[in-house]
Amino acid sequence: MKIINPATEELVGEVAVDSTEAIKFKYENIRAGQAAWAAKPLQERLDIIVKFGEIVDQHVDRLAALLTAEMGKPVWQAAGEIKGAKNRVKFLVDLAEKTLAEDFVTPEGATKEKIVYEPLGVIGNISAWNYPYNVGYNVYLPALVAGNAVLYKPSEYTALTGIEMAKMLWEAGVPEDVFQVVIGGKEAGQTMLDLPLDGYFFTGSYRTGKHIAQTVAHKLVPVGLELGGKDPLYVAEDVADVANVAAAAAEGVFYNTGQSCCAVERIYVNEKVYDQFITSFVEETKKLKSGSPMEEGVWIGPLTRPEQIDVIQQQVDDAVSKGGKLLLGGKKMEGKGYYYEPTVVVDVTNDMPIMQEESFGPVIGIMKVSGDEEAVKLMNDTEYGLTAAVYTQSKERAEKMMAKLNAGTVYWNCCDRVSPYTPWSGRKNSGMGSTLSHIGIRAFVQPKAYHLRG
Ligand code: NAD
């Protein structure tokens, strides 16, 4: 498999794709090793994961350069992701013991009762490329801490990063017969679906997630799906500083070149501040420099997958053909690399693909609304339900809206943000189940009820 640098279209490296036999061999290897891993005291497993975090920390610059070469995110954002992902280790140190401890629900009486949390066994983690550290950590770290063995398939777009992760886990003390990495694309993922795994945890598109859930449904094992989004942001007329909100919104739209599951993908602005917001938003967007992701000060890098350029172009062309107005951008950039211009489209309607389908690129549609009620209605008018943001000075007003928003995460005066202490869960086509928080640790265990007499 060739790994191509999306900024230069040059070869970064070549890796051997795992054959079906090789994947089966890896599976059997970790199936054999899982029981011994689960038998270790929790603290020992946690110490290994803490050590892993320290090893990652020692290699940030090298790992960031590799990640940028593979998938094109500006290198300072790559370093930010790698350093920031450390909070996943800290959250496990803070919560794992409490969450996984046995629970004596009936400590007195003739029949005592307790709940014990046992690992699922061998789980599969099929992952995405856009934040490979964060989305990998969200699954395999709690799974390992809980005593599972993990067959991890990084995306084919970040395979080299996936191999580095495995090496660092092994170096930290996770046995090779407990964590194995599968290299390949769709076919390798499909082979994992055919194996008798005890759980499937997927991060990626709705289309693939649905296919995975349908394919493994007959096995009746846990399936976790973290899928795409079409995340809305609303600006009320009472915001203290429209320019500040526009700057925050632009960051939410364009960070990671728009390739975040929780990127702001739609903006609704109260008509009373609409013109002011648009002026500031366009100004802010113009400040974001496009260029080589290895260059300092660059905000917008290339898209990771060249095919996404056509998806975005179709959304933009469709919007413009139906009356949408292009204020910025609107086409692929000339020259080498999969670059698309930062693009702002106004006068759109909510039924257009640009306001309904995940863009996953540096593109935004903005609509004027009459007030909170219309905003909530339009924000909920989507097949996705990952996050939704409300900007207003009034907490009461924000909370009233947030209660009505059908999304797994709601934000007041912030956006495009993940905390390991709260559940990360999509509604509707954005997913099933939850990672992170104590709920995301419990996702990797099965309860056993003990009834104890005597
Ligand atoms: P994708 O669905 O194309 O691929 C994801 C993974 O599935 C890859 O490893 C791929 O090789 C594998 N795969 C593809 N076909 C398969 C099959 N038939 N069987 C088994 N495995 C298969 O998604 P992507 O392009 O890697 O990621 C982008 C998507 O991920 C976006 O929609 C984004 O919003 C979403 N995402 C969601 C979250 C979240 O936490 N909700 C986080 C990051 C990304």
Side-chain angles (χ1 to χ4, degrees):
M1 189 165 74
K2 286 184 165 47
I3 314 277
I4 303 294
N5 183 326
T8 60
E9 298 181 42
E10 285 163 7
L11 188 69
V12 179
E14 281 185 79
V15 275
V17 170
D18 279 319
S19 64
T20 303
E21 287 65 38
I23 298 169
K24 278 188 186 151
F25 182 76
K26 288 179 178 182
Y27 160 73
E28 278 154 18
N29 188 10
I30 63 171
R31 173 64 76 188
Q34 189 264 329
W37 175 248
K40 282 185 193 295
L42 172 68
Q43 192 57 50
E44 208 174 303
R45 294 195 299 268
L46 258 180
D47 289 346
I48 290 172
I49 297 307
V50 169
K51 174 105 190 288
F52 164 71
E54 289 164 2
I55 295 170
V56 173
D57 230 25
Q58 288 158 16
H59 298 280
V60 171
D61 292 342
R62 180 179 63 81
L63 296 171
L66 176 66
L67 180 54
T68 294
E70 276 193 291
M71 61 71 72
K73 72 169 73 188
V75 71
W76 63 273
Q77 295 182 6
E81 178 190 348
I82 296 166
K83 284 188 217 149
K86 231 176 27 182
N87 64 10
R88 267 65 170 174
V89 174
K90 183 172 181 310
F91 127 83
L92 285 169
V93 170
D94 292 345
L95 293 188
E97 199 178 342
K98 197 164 69 183
T99 307
L100 298 173
E102 59 181 36
D103 207 353
F104 247 106
V105 283
T106 313
E108 305 289 340
T111 310
K112 298 180 180 59
E113 294 159 342
K114 69 173 181 180
I115 307 166
V116 169
Y117 297 100
E118 296 182 346
L120 296 173
V122 180
I123 65 125
N125 177 198
I126 299 177
S127 206
W129 47 264
N130 62 332
Y131 279 94
Y133 285 91
N134 281 329
V135 299
Y137 283 17
N138 292 358
V139 173
Y140 63 66
L141 293 187
L144 288 169
V145 167
N148 298 279
V150 179
L151 198 54
Y152 168 63
K153 194 188 93 54
S155 163
E156 54 274 41
Y157 294 98
T158 47
L160 298 174
T161 293
I163 292 169
E164 290 297 324
M165 287 182 195
K167 283 191 203 154
M168 291 186 290
L169 283 166
W170 295 332
E171 187 186 337
V174 176
E176 288 191 30
D177 62 1
V178 166
F179 186 90
Q180 278 291 329
V181 61
V182 168
I183 296 302
K186 189 175 169 179
E187 289 73 23
Q190 190 66 41
T191 301
M192 287 174 69
L193 305 186
D194 297 335
L195 292 172
L197 298 175
D198 301 311
Y200 288 87
F201 295 85
F202 171 76
T203 308
S205 63
Y206 164 67
R207 219 170 74 155
T208 311
K210 187 172 135 201
H211 167 75
I212 289 176
Q214 284 174 336
T215 308
V216 303
H218 69 280
K219 302 186 190 193
L220 304 183
V221 295
V223 175
L225 304 175
E226 301 284 7
L227 311 178
K230 191 68 190 171
D231 298 0
L233 180 151
Y234 171 56
V235 186
E237 78 293 349
D238 70 345
V239 290
D241 185 335
V242 174
N244 267 346
V245 176
E251 247 191 57
V253 172
F254 296 108
Y255 199 85
N256 210 29
T257 316
Q259 301 174 117
S260 311
C261 55
C262 53
V264 174
E265 289 242 349
R266 301 177 280 151
I267 300 180
Y268 302 97
V269 187
N270 190 294
E271 57 192 8
K272 296 198 180 88
V273 288
Y274 180 80
D275 292 340
Q276 208 186 336
F277 179 86
I278 297 294
T279 307
S280 299
F281 188 86
V282 169
E283 262 171 36
E284 288 299 328
T285 306
K286 280 185 184 159
K287 284 186 204 160
L288 304 177
K289 191 175 159 198
S290 300
S292 162
M294 289 304 291
E295 211 178 282
E296 215 176 305
V298 162
W299 243 88
I300 313 263
L303 292 168
T304 305
R305 296 166 306 168
E307 315 87 72
Q308 199 62 15
I309 289 180
D310 288 342
V311 174
I312 293 174
Q313 195 63 58
Q314 276 171 27
Q315 291 185 358
V316 172
D317 291 348
D318 168 86
V320 171
S321 76
K322 292 174 184 159
K325 196 165 139 203
L326 254 183
L327 296 186
L328 269 183
K331 59 180 192 314
K332 181 185 184 306
M333 289 187 207
E334 296 298 326
K336 279 258 181 246
Y338 316 137
Y339 285 89
Y340 197 84
E341 295 174 343
T343 298
V344 180
V345 192
V346 295
D347 296 345
V348 291
T349 55
N350 220 48
D351 56 348
M352 292 177 179
I354 200 169
M355 298 301 271
Q356 290 293 329
E357 288 162 19
E358 193 175 39
S359 305
F360 228 55
V363 173
I364 189 73
I366 310 181
M367 260 178 87
K368 188 191 285 186
V369 293
S370 58
D372 300 0
E373 205 175 312
E374 189 188 5
V376 168
K377 189 165 160 269
L378 294 174
M379 289 165 95
N380 281 338
D381 174 24
T382 166
E383 288 175 347
Y384 291 102
L386 192 58
T387 82
V390 174
Y391 281 75
T392 164
Q393 275 200 71
S394 160
K395 181 164 180 257
E396 199 190 333
R397 191 169 164 186
E399 284 188 342
K400 219 165 132 188
M401 292 183 76
M402 290 194 286
K404 291 183 195 156
L405 289 168
N406 193 11
T409 294
V410 287
Y411 304 115
W412 176 38
N413 291 341
C414 55
C415 62
D416 188 25
R417 173 175 201 280
V418 181
S419 160
Y421 294 89
T422 56
W424 189 245
S425 65
R427 296 188 181 178
K428 300 193 270 183
N429 290 357
S430 290
M432 199 165 78
S434 174
T435 52
L436 299 176
S437 81
H438 65 283
I439 301 166
I441 299 175
R442 285 262 168 88
F444 300 103
V445 289
Q446 47 193 340
K448 184 180 274 178
Y450 280 68
H451 297 240
L452 307 165
R453 213 172 265 182

